[in-house]
Amino acid sequence: MTLTLRELAQEREDKVVSHAFACRSSASRGREIEEPQDPIRLCFQRDAHRILHCTAFRRLRYKTQVIFAPENDHVATRADHSLYVASIAQTVAQALGLNSDLVFAIALGHDLGHGPFGHTGETVLDALWKKIDPARSFQHELHSLRVVDHLAFYPSTRRCGLNLTYEVRDGIACHCGERTEQYLYPRPKPGRALERITARGLNPATLEGCVVRMVDRIAYVGRDYEDGMSVLGSLPGLPRKVVSRLGADNRSIINTLVTDLIRTNLKTPERVGFSEGVFEALKLIYEYNCKNIYFHPRLTEYARRTERMLKEIFWFEQRELAAKKQSLWGRVIPADSYPVRELHHFISKTYPVLERPSLSQIIVDHMSMMTDRYARSFFEDLMLPKPVG
């Protein structure tokens, strides 16, 4: 009997995915909306391709990682970071016998919810949203889930949302790469209501999701250090303990951390993490980056300027929507100014009339999808005087 292409793919996965705690495609909890199976690809590979081809992923090319609005082609953007995480996570998964398609999909989608200007944009949106609705908060990993569930789309369709599998959605919502953790276990009772998660830090449901969360930090600590060195000029040398344990450059740092992560899991297969000495060095380089790069005076000054920019955009959109009946939201009028047309075009494209969220949610959705350069262009058109006549 001749096997179909999909059956051959499943047979290959069953041979390669050998870890005792791995998540196989055949064991997926499935999608919110059932779909016919792809004739070639297994479900997690299909999810990765959906993310890779959606417009939200393309926008990451023009979103800040650490260096604001980079004009330097050699400085990492949010898209670069996502690809770094994806490639490193696949290396770890393949070495351990985990599902490399699953980690690849989670990694590609984990930062789709980031707004413009990196973590500064996240902090500003969070504070502004709380002023309108104190019960709400903007956390990029939870917003990444909203992006793949409701906002991401393909240019050839008008249907928003990628309808990903539970395991990929879970890994995206629970990646939280800013936490300092030596070990990470999958949570024992996953549940299904991911959209009800309100606080960051929940452990992923799969070991593959745990790998992505750990690799997130591996991908950025050394890269951020090298970007800081290339753009910010002379910086203090790395601590001796970092150099002796991890290495003095991004290549060595990644290699050491990945090797240690793999070896540690081989000893304790139910969890992923780092050995004691390597973990201490990882904390030291993160502290170094915070002191010398993330809060560098040049970046801090740029953060203040972007904060003012985002505030102006937020309150403009709030006034525009509050001044109109909801029945007029999404109605694009050619005579309106560019910012007004852009806001209503986003509404008409993104939300069916009967399923529109609250005013503040619309603003947060719109601003989170902005790239750095789009936000700057939007602000300039909003605030700079235009010639009369």
Side-chain angles (χ1 to χ4, degrees):
M1 180 179 177
T2 303
L3 296 177
T4 65
L5 293 175
R6 181 183 175 81
E7 289 169 339
L8 286 170
Q10 186 65 65
E11 190 176 78
R12 283 193 295 269
E13 183 188 82
D14 291 338
K15 292 177 181 178
V16 173
V17 179
S18 57
H19 195 288
F21 295 93
C23 179
R24 292 167 176 79
S25 299
S26 57
S28 172
R29 292 168 174 261
R31 308 177 188 278
E32 290 291 308
I33 303 171
E34 290 189 17
E35 299 179 9
Q37 292 182 337
D38 188 85
I40 301 173
R41 299 167 296 172
L42 302 181
C43 59
F44 300 141
Q45 184 183 40
R46 195 179 188 187
D47 283 358
H49 295 167
R50 288 183 179 187
I51 294 168
L52 192 60
H53 287 278
C54 77
T55 53
F57 185 82
R58 288 180 227 169
R59 290 192 182 106
L60 297 182
R61 289 180 293 177
Y62 304 106
K63 290 190 177 187
T64 291
Q65 172 62 13
V66 169
I67 307 300
F68 288 100
E71 305 300 334
N72 183 341
D73 290 339
H74 301 286
V75 170
T77 66
R78 188 64 59 180
D80 295 325
H81 168 71
S82 297
L83 292 171
Y84 297 154
V85 175
S87 64
I88 298 169
Q90 275 197 314
T91 298
V92 174
Q94 289 165 359
L96 293 175
L98 293 169
N99 195 315
S100 62
D101 285 340
L102 177 53
V103 298
F104 188 63
I106 294 170
L108 288 179
H110 82 282
D111 270 355
L112 290 179
H114 258 296
F117 308 112
H119 287 284
T120 294
E122 179 177 20
T123 301
V124 172
L125 281 178
D126 182 60
L128 291 171
W129 204 2
K130 282 183 167 65
K131 285 189 176 182
I132 293 181
D133 187 349
R136 305 303 292 269
S137 64
F138 183 81
Q139 300 165 28
H140 79 268
E141 63 269 27
L142 298 183
H143 194 70
S144 293
L145 177 65
R146 177 168 176 78
V147 170
V148 298
D149 282 354
H150 302 291
L151 304 179
F153 68 96
Y154 302 112
S156 59
T157 72
R158 290 186 58 85
R159 181 175 65 85
C160 292
L162 304 182
N163 194 32
L164 305 181
T165 57
Y166 175 89
E167 292 76 15
V168 173
R169 295 171 62 241
D170 172 86
I172 289 171
C174 300
H175 80 264
C176 196
E178 287 68 50
R179 294 175 67 91
T180 303
E181 299 156 318
Q182 184 174 359
Y183 297 109
L184 199 59
Y185 295 84
R187 67 182 189 277
K189 296 181 179 180
R192 291 191 65 89
L194 296 174
E195 64 278 2
R196 295 180 185 175
I197 299 173
T198 57
R200 63 190 352 163
L202 187 68
N203 284 16
T206 65
L207 200 62
E208 285 85 354
C210 294
V211 165
V212 174
R213 183 149 138 186
M214 288 297 194
V215 165
D216 191 10
R217 178 157 292 190
I218 293 175
Y220 72 67
V221 288
R223 178 74 265 173
D224 292 353
Y225 165 68
E226 291 195 345
D227 283 351
M229 290 289 289
S230 68
V231 174
L232 301 175
S234 179
L235 295 175
L238 288 173
R240 289 183 180 179
K241 190 173 288 186
V242 170
V243 175
S244 64
R245 290 284 176 84
L246 303 183
D249 55 64
N250 186 41
R251 176 178 174 275
S252 301
I253 291 168
I254 289 176
N255 186 63
T256 303
L257 290 171
V258 167
T259 302
D260 187 74
L261 192 72
I262 293 169
R263 286 176 174 167
T264 303
N265 179 261
L266 291 174
K267 296 177 183 177
T268 53
E270 73 280 2
R271 68 184 186 185
V272 292
F274 302 103
S275 63
E276 194 68 40
V278 167
F279 180 63
E280 288 302 314
L282 177 60
K283 288 195 296 183
L284 282 176
I285 189 174
Y286 179 71
E287 291 167 3
Y288 172 94
N289 285 353
C290 287
K291 180 180 178 181
N292 298 289
I293 299 173
Y294 306 148
F295 297 105
H296 189 281
R298 285 175 60 187
L299 297 188
T300 301
E301 173 57 28
Y302 202 99
R304 283 195 289 266
R305 297 185 184 190
T306 58
E307 180 180 355
R308 291 195 293 268
M309 183 191 313
L310 294 175
K311 283 181 177 179
E312 290 290 346
I313 295 173
F314 185 93
W315 293 119
F316 157 75
E317 296 199 346
Q318 193 275 338
R319 291 191 301 270
E320 166 63 22
L321 295 182
K324 291 183 177 179
K325 296 179 181 179
Q326 289 193 25
S327 59
L328 299 178
W329 293 358
R331 182 174 297 181
V332 181
I333 301 175
D336 283 337
S337 67
Y338 168 78
V340 172
R341 294 198 310 271
E342 285 292 285
L343 172 60
H344 289 286
H345 176 68
F346 171 80
I347 294 171
S348 67
K349 180 179 65 176
T350 307
Y351 314 109
V353 174
L354 298 179
E355 298 179 15
R356 286 177 183 163
S358 67
L359 179 152
S360 63
Q361 181 71 70
I362 289 174
I363 297 172
V364 168
D365 286 347
H366 184 219
M367 292 185 66
S368 74
M369 302 299 277
M370 292 181 175
T371 62
D372 291 15
R373 66 181 186 177
Y374 179 87
R376 286 187 295 173
S377 173
F378 194 97
F379 175 78
E380 288 171 2
D381 207 283
L382 184 65
M383 300 302 296
L384 295 185
K386 311 291 189 302
V388 178

